[in-house]
Amino acid sequence: IKSYQKKEVVEKERNIAFDVRSQLPEGFIPYDCPLSMELLFVFPPLASMNKATKLAIEKGEIVYKPTKPDLHDNLAKIVADSMNGIVFVDDSRICKVASQKIYGLIPRTEVIIKKL
């Protein structure tokens, strides 16, 4: 059985891995213990959103993104896979996950890893 990753997925993983490495302290040793992972995915507001929703986002209110991409199958997986061997020895060490995807003025991905 062969596993195949689309070229765009491989490139995204490389880009995330590069960003992760650039933020770790020099000499960082990947965790090899039970871990929790908190993820926040922030997407830019849509041009088609009504004014009230856009205003709520500008005020910093949480407006959830109920559309694709899938939170667990796509977003969380690519982040965890990208951090393999960099932040933790293997993503199997992740025992607890909390994640959400919302709209915000500054698109970004925030990741917090904690020892359990």
Side-chain angles (χ1 to χ4, degrees), residues 21-113:
R21 279 189 186 99
S22 72
Q23 296 179 48
L24 290 174
E26 190 174 327
F28 180 83
I29 298 170
Y31 293 114
D32 190 11
C33 60
L35 301 168
S36 71
M37 180 168 68
E38 296 175 30
L39 299 159
L40 174 65
F41 299 95
V42 183
F43 292 83
L46 303 174
S48 61
M49 288 179 163
N50 63 46
K51 288 183 182 179
T53 303
K54 288 180 181 178
L55 184 59
I57 293 168
E58 288 174 11
K59 288 182 178 180
E61 294 177 26
I62 294 177
V63 176
Y64 291 102
K65 182 181 186 329
T67 57
K68 292 188 181 238
D70 296 345
L71 183 58
H72 176 71
D73 294 341
N74 297 104
L75 298 173
K77 181 170 177 21
I78 197 165
V79 169
D81 288 348
S82 300
M83 295 169 61
N84 260 338
I86 300 170
V87 175
F88 31 76
V89 294
D90 191 83
D91 58 0
S92 65
R93 302 305 189 268
I94 301 169
C95 301
K96 183 178 177 182
V97 178
S99 56
Q100 60 181 335
K101 58 180 182 170
I102 63 172
Y103 291 104
L105 298 180
I106 303 171
R108 63 194 183 279
T109 300
E110 297 179 12
V111 182
I112 299 172
I113 303 290

